[in-house]
Amino acid sequence: KAFREAVTTFVNFTMRRSTDGGIKEPLDAARDALAFFRTLRKKHPQCYRDSDTDALGVACLSSAIKRGMGRWQPLDGKFDWFDLAKACRTEFSAGSFVALLEMHFVPRLKSALSSWDPRNTEPGLVLVEMWRPLLPDRHFQSLMRDSLTPRIRAAAEEWNPRKERVP
């Protein structure tokens, strides 16, 4: 009963927050939701497992993450969203975590790498190296094939060794 009341209260609070324009910054709201589900899992482990609470957790986090993705610049060297994703990996089942990645993080990473300038190697390399451990192989390979490799290939084709320094 306590488990059900806690979940209902939190979901109602989350829904009110998301419909009234939001009280907190999206990253803070996502951290709060993750902390709530972490506490819930620790206090009520059996109910948490039996209720498919991971799916509910991902849904609550998704609201905040969706609001924050438009402003997130993955190549800017800030790691707050990465830290959140890493924390989600330890809190949710593999399936729920991958769903969260697919909905929010992978599309944003692909978009960032598709506009990355390979002549400024550091931001792109840091991003790929940092996210590699979190991404399932199929997503990492897709990121490399569809976003990173075309950018490197285009920069190599445009490079004029007589006028430009070696990258």
Side-chain angles (χ1 to χ4, degrees):
K1 183 177 176 174
F3 175 82
R4 184 183 184 130
E5 288 174 3
V7 170
T8 302
T9 301
F10 182 78
V11 170
N12 288 338
F13 175 73
T14 301
M15 297 311 286
R16 273 195 314 276
R17 180 178 358 197
S18 64
T19 58
D20 70 5
I23 298 170
K24 294 184 172 192
E25 286 294 314
L27 185 60
D28 292 333
R31 286 178 181 144
D32 287 351
L34 185 61
F36 170 79
F37 283 94
R38 178 182 297 132
T39 301
L40 195 62
R41 181 179 49 80
K42 288 178 181 176
K43 285 185 177 180
H44 307 281
Q46 188 65 42
C47 290
Y48 192 95
R49 277 189 305 276
D50 294 346
S51 313
D52 192 26
T53 310
D54 271 3
L56 181 60
V58 167
C60 288
L61 276 163
S62 287
S63 173
I65 293 172
K66 184 177 179 180
R67 287 187 293 129
M69 285 293 107
R71 291 183 279 173
W72 179 42
Q73 299 298 318
L75 295 169
D76 71 0
K78 296 178 184 166
F79 307 122
D80 294 339
W81 287 103
F82 170 78
D83 293 339
L84 177 75
K86 190 174 175 183
C88 289
R89 180 178 163 192
T90 62
E91 289 304 318
F92 297 124
S93 68
S96 294
F97 175 67
V98 169
L100 195 64
L101 287 175
E102 290 172 345
M103 280 188 287
H104 303 292
F105 295 102
V106 172
R108 195 69 190 106
L109 293 171
K110 282 185 174 186
S111 175
L113 287 173
S114 292
S115 63
W116 166 65
D117 178 6
R119 289 185 172 100
N120 180 10
T121 58
E122 188 72 17
L125 293 178
V126 167
L127 187 71
V128 169
E129 289 172 354
M130 182 173 51
W131 281 87
R132 174 63 187 117
L134 291 184
L135 296 174
D137 255 3
R138 72 179 188 274
H139 293 300
F140 181 73
Q141 295 304 324
S142 173
L143 198 63
M144 298 299 286
R145 180 186 63 245
D146 301 337
S147 301
L148 194 72
T149 303
R151 295 298 299 158
I152 293 171
R153 185 176 296 122
E157 289 170 0
E158 293 170 3
W159 179 57
N160 182 343
R162 291 183 179 166
K163 294 182 180 179
E164 298 177 84
R165 68 174 181 82
V166 176

